[in-house]
């Protein structure tokens, strides 16, 4: 993610312009996949700081699809609360090793469950 665009050919230093998509274009791109294939979840569809894209995407597909925040929330209660308040996603990828204490991880899970979110637990 650079300059407001997602480079689908980011490993290519000469990535052509048509491979650089705005958040709105990415939402349409993902929606095409979701209508064609039976996805249950999609994890980290946008940059961790592109909150507006997360909100728009979850608003459009978050009913039938679990939109999982991993890099967005990093199991951090402050970021989880913002994601809940903004309706930026509807599920957490819990990584106990990402946050400072087990208590903080439990608090994050409780917040999510109280908000009707799904919680997936990482093996790490």
């Amino acid at each position: 993610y650079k300059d407001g665009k997602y480079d689908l050919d980011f490993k290519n230093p000469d990535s052509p312009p048509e491979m650089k998509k705005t958040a709105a274009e990415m939402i349409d791109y993902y929606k095409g996949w979701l209508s064609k294939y039976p996805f249950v979840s999609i994890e980290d569809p946008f940059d961790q700081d592109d909150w507006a894209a997360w909100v728009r995407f979850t608003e459009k597909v978050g009913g039938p699809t679990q939109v999982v925040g991993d890099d967005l929330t990093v199991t951090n209660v402050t970021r989880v609360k913002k994601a809940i308040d903004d309706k930026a996603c509807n599920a957490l990828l819990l990584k106990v090793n990402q946050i400072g204490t087990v208590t903080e991880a439990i608090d994050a899970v409780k917040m999510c469950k109280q908000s009707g979110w799904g919680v997936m637990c990482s093996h790490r």
Side-chain angles (χ1 to χ4, degrees):
Y1 181 70
K2 185 178 176 188
D3 300 324
K5 296 232 176 165
Y6 293 88
D7 187 353
L8 302 183
D9 194 18
F10 64 91
K11 291 185 179 182
N12 176 1
D14 300 316
S15 176
E18 64 269 12
M19 294 303 288
K20 295 177 176 127
K21 309 287 185 192
T22 65
E25 290 170 322
M26 288 301 298
I27 289 170
D28 289 341
Y29 191 60
Y30 289 137
K31 282 176 63 182
W33 288 354
L34 294 168
S35 68
K36 189 173 180 180
Y37 302 104
F39 282 87
V40 173
S41 297
I42 185 165
E43 177 188 332
D44 283 344
F46 298 98
D47 184 77
Q48 64 203 22
D49 293 316
D50 192 357
W51 288 90
W54 280 85
V55 170
R56 285 194 310 271
F57 184 66
T58 300
E59 191 176 86
K60 291 180 185 266
V61 306
T65 306
Q66 186 169 254
V67 181
V68 182
D70 174 12
D71 292 346
L72 179 73
T73 59
V74 292
T75 314
N76 176 296
V77 291
T78 302
R79 289 186 71 92
V80 168
K81 181 170 180 355
K82 179 173 174 46
I84 289 168
D85 291 346
D86 292 355
K87 297 183 170 97
C89 54
N90 58 19
L92 171 74
L93 180 58
L94 173 66
K95 292 182 177 175
V96 177
N97 65 318
Q98 250 181 346
I99 196 65
T101 67
V102 172
T103 301
E104 287 172 297
I106 292 168
D107 289 344
V109 169
K110 285 180 180 176
M111 288 171 60
C112 292
K113 295 308 250 174
Q114 289 169 350
S115 297
W117 280 26
V119 176
M120 297 169 36
C121 190
S122 175
H123 67 283
R124 294 192 247 173

